[in-house]
Amino acid sequence: VGIDTAQDLFASIGNAQNVQKYVTSTDLFQLYSFGSPNFALVAGEGLVVKMGSDTNYIVVGSHDPGAVIQLEAAGGASNSGTNLYAPPYHATSSTARELFVELGITEVQNIQRYDTATDLFQLYSFGSPDFPINPGEAYFVKMGNSQAYQPSHY
């Protein structure tokens, strides 16, 4: 039995306050908490999990090397071109710069990560200070052009 919904993840973690997914068409978050509407989890889509206290949580799963992630630009399926992307564990891009280049420097506008120490976002665009891409974290990726992206992996 897998963890296929926000409700499953919420229950599995145990002390989460809520689980949120980013909705590209509105640039808003859909929130799941006990008793609120459930939603399906989708491979490659990042989530925000608000915790009640620090918890070590082991993510278990398998890597699908054929998985394709749809990253949307503004218009159509996306309001602003912002996507919340969760790289697969075996992805080879280990920095924002490497991911930026892999996506195509003419395709992506910026990549952002949330810094829990400062409660601020760190932004990478070509030439700005780099930061690591870490397994288990999600990143805002703002696209200039939509693409069906298949992450390179080892």
Side-chain angles (χ1 to χ4, degrees), residues 4-144:
D4 300 315
T5 66
Q7 182 178 8
D8 296 340
L9 181 61
F10 183 84
S12 174
I13 292 172
N15 67 339
Q17 292 180 347
N18 62 59
V19 175
Q20 302 172 50
K21 81 172 191 171
Y22 186 74
V23 180
T24 60
S25 62
T26 62
D27 287 336
L28 299 172
F29 284 92
Q30 180 179 348
L31 182 137
Y32 175 81
S33 187
F34 186 74
S36 62
N38 199 9
F39 56 83
L41 304 183
V42 177
E45 286 185 4
L47 300 169
V48 174
V49 179
K50 185 171 182 184
M51 300 300 300
S53 61
D54 290 350
T55 299
N56 290 324
Y57 183 76
I58 298 172
V59 178
V60 179
S62 60
H63 175 68
D64 177 2
V68 175
I69 313 302
Q70 187 63 40
L71 298 173
E72 299 290 349
S78 177
N79 187 45
S80 68
T82 302
N83 304 264
L84 188 56
Y85 167 65
Y89 182 80
H90 294 290
T92 56
S93 293
S94 62
T95 68
R97 182 186 188 288
E98 290 174 358
L99 180 58
F100 197 93
V101 169
E102 184 176 341
L103 289 169
I105 59 174
T106 61
E107 306 299 315
V108 63
Q109 294 178 348
N110 64 61
I111 299 170
Q112 298 179 54
R113 75 170 179 170
Y114 178 70
D115 184 343
T116 58
T118 63
D119 266 350
L120 299 172
F121 284 92
Q122 181 179 357
L123 182 136
Y124 177 83
S125 62
F126 203 68
S128 62
D130 206 358
F131 55 80
I133 299 291
N134 298 311
E137 294 183 2
Y139 301 87
F140 283 105
V141 177
K142 186 166 185 176
M143 300 299 293

